């Protein structure tokens, strides 16, 4: 009996001594951390996407507080949290333009002509290093989904062999841009709702043979609204300051469908076929 | 090194023996095909700098005329395969998939030779610089597949001591019999070529390695080689990839090339038998490299065999010469089935390193769904470079190319065994190819 009591007493005493020791060290050697860092980390989206250029959200928060990094380099942060962070730092929130990614291609498996059955690695860059996947077009989306796998926000869908960005999910971090071997993805202001979904620099007839949905530079759109389009060689682009509306697009009626609204492009075949 | 010459092991460690189907094309002499109306000659047929075209559209050229000059030291000139006029300069599908620049030569039907280079039938009396220059001028590259300019291989830096010329007559790739036929029909040229190489390298020891499944080639070469006691002909176990440079050196001399090293680090220079014939032709007859021996084979092909094909012969014409198809094709491969590249077009043309044109039937081609690695270790047992393939496969799949580099992915010779033996159908070699490309690109950027 006494043995048990002694053991319990020793343990209790040990616990007490160690507890006091830990308490003392915690006070004595405490690291002074700015409480704002933690607060800001909480407010950041926490996806650790790296779009800001720092190693994750916590690192970014530290840089914001200590080295005055620009808060707006986080594109994924919501407007509300953005204001809160500015408040914590005692700064003006300032204006921030939301950007979204766009994949400039509309050649899915139905529209783009196939050259071969690709059965190599399921990765666009690996395919590009070989023959460039199964599609004939050497500028278009390979459709093996490297960008979709890279996206932290699930904003890119591979639908029927074509990458489609859903703007409502896209946070504009730009991670997908580098990974695309065809350099098809660009960040655009979220307000621009109309694009020419083609990136091929081939001549019109060559493009037409490779893909039903290519921009063949017929310039129908340019003739209709000259100010809103920028035709270079065999490719037409919508200018950044264009104020095209959905109605105008419908009136122009692009013969191949390369000129399209974001809403229609992302919803075009939804429900028809699942991801490749 | 010479004092303790090790006992010759008959083969390397690892490797496999896939069904080789050599019987499809091994019988029958090498055939010529009729002159074509048009040749599409790929401009870059060598590793290194691309040659520079010195002709324009509409120019008339003669057979064997130089139409492109070497673009640097690691580069060779290119010659016209027949006489005629230069047509368009166009893009055709290349052997590894990406489109390449090619020049059309429209034949005039006369097949008229240009002023030949001086033949040196008594080449033994010529000096080695002259012979080396000839090898280069004739546009000779490694014809086993790598297409590395031969003259560069034959001029090792002076601090490397070379003592052995290793001749690759292994032909370990299934289906291919071009080298086998070549050794049987042109043994004299093979030996002469080897002696010329040895003279250029200022060495005498020549070892020729031939797999045991080519007894005729071994016998013929042994009989012919009696004239030179420095030539050794060694039968090798039939095992893929016996023809890999490092595997062959190990099997024949017992020397191991360290990771990242070259054969010359262990005193060897390796040449393929096809290259030797080209060298002999260039030196003794003054003929540049304008044709090669190609195996056209596969069960769907009617009349399989080996053909003398001019460079620039489109695959469709080669197939025509082989009697066309008798059953549907599942896959067309340029090269052997293990290391060759699948093609998507019949427009691709024969170049200096095309050793075979292989058609596989529908039921011989399978598509695998890659599963997770089972860690069974078959790939590790089979890897001829003794790499930890299972680990590499996983790190490459997750794009950890830094770890791949630590695990020596750059030593991979892309023989494809790991993919062949994998029960989970994992595309290992494809992963490694990609990893190598990514690592090399990163290194270039850091330079």
């Amino acid at each position: 009996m006494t043995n048990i009591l002694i053991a319990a007493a020793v343990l209790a005493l040990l616990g007490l001594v160690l507890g006091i020791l830990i308490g003392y060290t915690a006070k004595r050697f405490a690291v002074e951390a700015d409480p704002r860092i933690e607060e800001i980390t909480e407010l950041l989206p926490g996806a650790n996407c790296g779009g800001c250029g720092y190693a994750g959200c916590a690192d970014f928060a530290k840089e914001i507080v200590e080295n005055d990094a620009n808060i707006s380099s986080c594109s994924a942060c919501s407007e509300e949290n953005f204001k809160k962070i500015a408040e914590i730092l005692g700064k003006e929130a300032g204006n921030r333009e939301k950007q979204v990614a766009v994949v400039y291609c509309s050649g899915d498996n139905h529209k783009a002509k196939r050259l071969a059955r690709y059965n190599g690695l399921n990765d666009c860059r690996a395919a590009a290093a070989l023959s460039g996947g199964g599609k004939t077009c050497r500028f278009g989306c390979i459709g093996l989904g490297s960008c979709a796998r890279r996206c932290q926000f699930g904003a890119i869908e591979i639908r029927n062999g074509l990458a489609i960005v859903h703007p409502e999910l896209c946070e504009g971090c730009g991670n997908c841009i580098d990974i695309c071997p065809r350099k098809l993805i660009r960040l655009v202001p979220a307000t621009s709702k109309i694009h020419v979904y083609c990136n091929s620099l081939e001549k019109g007839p060559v493009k037409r043979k490779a893909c039903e949905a290519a921009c063949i530079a017929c310039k129908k759109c340019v003739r209709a609204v000259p100010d809103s389009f920028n035709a270079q060689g065999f490719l037409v682009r919508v200018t950044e300051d264009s104020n095209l509306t959905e109605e105008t697009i419908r009136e122009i009626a692009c013969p191949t469908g390369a000129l399209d609204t974001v809403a229609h492009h992302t919803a075009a075949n939804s429900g028809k076929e699942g991801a490749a | 090194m010479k004092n303790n010459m090790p006992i010759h092991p008959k083969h390397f460690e690892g490797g496999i023996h896939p069904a080789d189907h050599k019987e499809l094309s091994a019988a029958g002499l090498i055939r010529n095909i009729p002159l074509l109306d048009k040749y599409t000659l790929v401009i870059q047929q060598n590793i290194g700098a691309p040659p520079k075209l010195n002709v324009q559209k509409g120019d008339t050229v003669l057979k064997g005329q130089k139409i492109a000059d070497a673009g640097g030291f690691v580069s060779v000139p290119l010659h016209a395969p027949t006489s005629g006029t230069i047509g368009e300069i166009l893009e055709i599908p290349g052997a590894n998939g990406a489109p390449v620049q090619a020049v059309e030569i429209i034949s005039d039907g006369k097949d008229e030779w240009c002023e030949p280079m001086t033949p040196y039938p008594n080449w033994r009396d010529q000096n080695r610089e002259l012979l080396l220059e000839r090898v280069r001028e004739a546009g000779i590259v490694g014809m086993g597949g790598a297409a590395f300019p031969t003259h560069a291989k034959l001029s090792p830096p002076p601090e490397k001591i070379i003592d052995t010329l290793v001749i690759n007559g292994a032909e370990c790739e299934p289906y291919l019999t071009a080298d086998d036929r070549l050794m049987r029909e042109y043994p004299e040229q093979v030996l002469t070529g080897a002696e010329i190489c040895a003279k250029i390298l200022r060495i005498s020891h020549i070892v020729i390695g031939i797999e045991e499944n080519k007894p005729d080639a071994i016998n013929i070469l042994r009989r012919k080689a009696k004239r030179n006691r420095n030539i050794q002909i060694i039968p090798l176990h039939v095992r893929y990839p016996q023809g890999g440079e490092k595997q062959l050196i190990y099997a024949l001399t017992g020397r191991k090339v360290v990771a990242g090293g070259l054969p010359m680090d262990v005193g060897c220079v390796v040449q393929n038998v096809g290259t030797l014939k080209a060298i002999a032709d260039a030196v003794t007859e003054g003929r540049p490299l304008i044709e090669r021996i190609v195996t056209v084979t596969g069960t769907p092909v009617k009349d399989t065999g080996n053909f003398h094909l001019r460079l620039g012969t489109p695959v469709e014409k080669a197939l025509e010469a082989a009697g066309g198809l008798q059953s549907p094709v599942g896959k067309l491969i340029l090269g052997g089935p293990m290391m060759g590249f699948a093609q998507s077009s019949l427009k691709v043309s024969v170049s200096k390193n095309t050793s075979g044109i292989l058609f596989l039937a529908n039921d011989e081609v399978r598509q695998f769904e890659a599963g997770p690695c089972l860690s069974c270790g078959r790939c590790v047992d089979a890897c001829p470079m003794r790499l930890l393939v299972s680990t590499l496969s996983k790190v490459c799949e997750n794009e950890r190319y830094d770890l791949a580099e630590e695990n020596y992915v750059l030593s991979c010779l892309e023989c494809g065994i790991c993919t062949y033996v994998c029960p989970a159908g994992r595309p290992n070699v494809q992963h490694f190819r990609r990893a190598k490309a990514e690592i090399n690109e990163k290194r270039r950027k850091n330079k």
Side-chain angles (χ1 to χ4, degrees), chain A residues 240-251:
Chain A
E240 275 196 10
D241 52 353
S242 74
N243 42 10
L244 291 167
T245 57
E246 220 169 296
E247 285 77 50
T248 357
I249 299 304
R250 223 169 289 144
E251 271 168 38

Side-chain angles (χ1 to χ4, degrees), chain B residues 48 96 102 116 140-141 159 177-178 217 226 234 240 271 274 293 327 333 361 368 384 389 418:
Chain B
N96 64 2
I140 294 170
V141 297
E159 69 269 17
T177 52
K226 278 187 182 138
I234 301 176
Y240 178 83
Q271 294 292 353
I293 297 163
S327 59
I333 296 172
F368 286 100
V389 183
C418 48

Side-chain angles (χ1 to χ4, degrees), chain A residues 116-117 119 121 123 125-126, chain B residues 91 341 344 367 399 427 431 434:
Chain A
R117 194 172 51 196
N119 73 347
L121 283 189
D123 180 286
R125 284 176 299 171
Chain B
E91 269 193 351
F341 279 90
S344 58
Q367 308 259 340
E399 307 193 351
H431 275 306
R434 175 158 177 234

Side-chain angles (χ1 to χ4, degrees), chain A residues 95-112:
Chain A
N95 265 340
R96 198 176 54 138
E97 194 180 30
K98 186 173 157 54
Q99 291 197 309
V100 290
V102 171
V103 181
Y104 282 98
C105 179
S106 39
D108 61 15
N109 284 346
H110 293 311
K111 290 172 184 153

